[in-house]
Amino acid sequence: MSQPIVFSDKPLSKEIQTYLANHVKLTMWEEAHKLKREQLFEKLQGVDGFMTSGELINEELLQKTHSLRAVSTISVGYDHFDLDAMRKHQIIGTHTPYVLDDTVADLVLSLMLATARRIPELDALTKSGCWKKGDSRQLFGVDVHHKKLGIIGMGRIGEKIAKRAKFGFDMDVSYFNRNRKEDVEQQLGLHYQELEVLLSESDFIVLMVPLTNETKQFIGAHEFTLMKPTSIFINASRGQTVDEEAMTEALLTGEILAAGLDVYEQEPIHPTNPLLNLKNVVTLPHIGSATSETRDAMAMLAAKNIVAALTGAGACYKVQN
Ligand code: DGY
């Protein structure tokens, strides 16, 4: 039987290529610039499996790629999958849970610390040579340890954040989630709070929900008015889970103290976005899982997923049944 054909829209490491070569025929896009959509449609002709990390898989693409049977995303989030269209065309979708949980949780704690202690701002000040003796009060931040943390979305990454905050920083951790998780509450000493209570009581609010129709603009103007003027808001989920205009307004008017952001409504963020001019915002270019070790582990898991999806050998992390 001939081997299935897999196309990857970005280069893969030698190790992953060697693994895939044992199971499938691999072709890759190796240019530094992103493949254009029309070029992608051409590349996918005759292909059985597609490895990507953000390409929109929708009706348009599936109508143009009749041979496709599976799409493996190198990410845990799969909001770029139109699940209805994939179901209709009987395309298996897979993703990469578990291997990135600790890395994303580390980044969330980094954002909390960087925002509370104003690390990027003070780094710039020190390097500019403008640090003067006697101006220390202007450099003060706020404490993270022993504060109240509210986590919205208690999935696997939420749990890792809670563990770090609770046992590393002695924080008082609450959470809001679609389903209450009493086992996690007991194990980590967390409290469940209704959303409005969590928003109005927390010093740090971390948003960690997947992007779905229900979570689009989950945090908007009303939610920002509930937060304390001293609160710090962190988003490492997806940009569209927040009404960005309302968040900008809340930051400008002092409705909240600061924000730490890894994600934006539009990515890459437009250079004229007013968020980029705010001192009380720490911005990152969507790097939640971006360490060498974790990205390699995600790519290997995605490779194993596509092989399993196409050959039926082994299990894969499907996004739907
Ligand atoms: C994911 O895997 O969905 C992350 O957002 C990538 O950093």
Side-chain angles (χ1 to χ4, degrees), residues 283-303:
T283 53
L284 291 175
H286 198 153
I287 52 149
S289 62
T291 63
S292 315
E293 302 93 322
T294 294
R295 282 289 169 87
D296 286 349
M298 289 165 71
M300 183 53 99
L301 181 53

Side-chain angles (χ1 to χ4, degrees), residues 153-170:
M154 190 46 65
R156 291 176 297 267
I157 299 173
E159 285 180 34
K160 298 282 187 183
I161 297 166
K163 188 172 169 195
R164 282 160 173 72
K166 180 85 187 170
F167 301 113
F169 292 86
D170 295 308

Side-chain angles (χ1 to χ4, degrees), residues 21-276:
N22 287 326
H23 304 275
V24 298
K25 242 165 122 181
L26 175 69
T27 55
M28 286 184 306
W29 177 251
E30 296 188 72
E31 305 292 322
H33 64 273
K34 194 179 175 319
L35 189 60
K36 292 208 174 76
R37 193 94 171 141
E38 286 301 327
Q39 286 174 299
L40 173 66
F41 297 153
E42 274 171 37
K43 294 275 176 201
L44 289 176
Q45 297 313 309
V47 160
D48 302 282
F50 176 33
M51 287 178 69
T52 181
S53 41
E55 191 65 45
L56 184 62
I57 308 299
N58 60 1
E59 185 62 33
E60 181 204 27
L61 180 140
L62 297 177
Q63 278 195 9
K64 297 195 174 171
T65 54
H66 301 292
S67 54
L68 200 64
R69 292 191 281 132
V71 181
S72 168
T73 184
I74 309 173
S75 62
V76 67
Y78 51 88
D79 41 281
H80 51 295
F81 285 0
D82 176 338
L83 295 178
D84 290 337
M86 289 174 75
R87 207 175 290 121
K88 177 175 148 201
H89 290 266
Q90 298 186 316
I91 305 292
I92 301 172
T94 65
H95 69 143
T96 60
Y98 300 102
V99 290
L100 76 179
D101 299 348
D102 282 300
T103 300
V104 177
D106 284 353
L107 188 89
V108 167
L109 267 292
S110 313
L111 272 176
M112 287 166 60
L113 291 163
T115 310
R117 300 299 300 268
R118 303 164 55 199
I119 302 292
E121 185 190 343
L122 299 182
D123 171 65
L125 176 125
T126 312
K127 286 179 180 160
S128 73
C130 294
W131 174 23
K132 295 190 192 70
K133 261 200 162 21
D135 63 359
S136 56
R137 200 158 185 102
Q138 277 126 280
L139 312 185
F140 286 2
V142 294
D143 279 331
V144 174
H145 66 87
H146 293 95
K147 292 282 181 70
K148 273 181 85 71
L149 166 65
I151 302 175
I152 304 170
M154 190 46 65
R156 291 176 297 267
I157 299 173
E159 285 180 34
K160 298 282 187 183
I161 297 166
K163 188 172 169 195
R164 282 160 173 72
K166 180 85 187 170
F167 301 113
F169 292 86
D170 295 308
M171 296 183 88
D172 176 5
V173 186
S174 304
Y175 76 102
F176 170 77
N177 198 50
R178 242 180 345 175
N179 318 308
R180 214 173 142 169
K181 295 195 159 174
E182 287 175 26
D183 52 334
V184 180
E185 285 173 33
Q186 277 189 0
Q187 205 184 325
L188 298 178
L190 315 182
H191 328 281
Y192 178 83
Q193 286 189 317
E194 289 305 329
L195 183 61
E196 300 213 334
V197 180
L198 178 146
L199 293 172
S200 60
E201 290 188 358
S202 300
D203 301 304
F204 290 83
I205 295 157
V206 169
L207 185 60
M208 214 57 247
V209 290
L211 176 64
T212 63
N213 286 339
E214 290 76 51
T215 61
K216 234 170 233 163
Q217 304 228 327
F218 194 65
I219 301 296
H222 170 67
E223 286 71 27
F224 285 111
T225 59
L226 295 174
M227 296 180 197
K228 300 195 279 192
T230 51
S231 68
I232 293 181
F233 177 69
I234 307 290
N235 189 10
S237 60
R238 286 291 182 268
Q240 294 95 324
T241 56
V242 175
D243 177 343
E244 207 165 86
E245 215 178 298
M247 175 173 65
T248 308
E249 190 62 18
L251 286 157
L252 278 167
T253 58
E255 213 156 51
I256 62 173
L257 182 67
L261 307 172
D262 189 36
V263 290
Y264 310 88
E265 256 173 33
Q266 184 196 322
E267 293 183 6
I269 188 168
H270 196 275
T272 60
N273 189 313
L275 283 171
L276 300 181

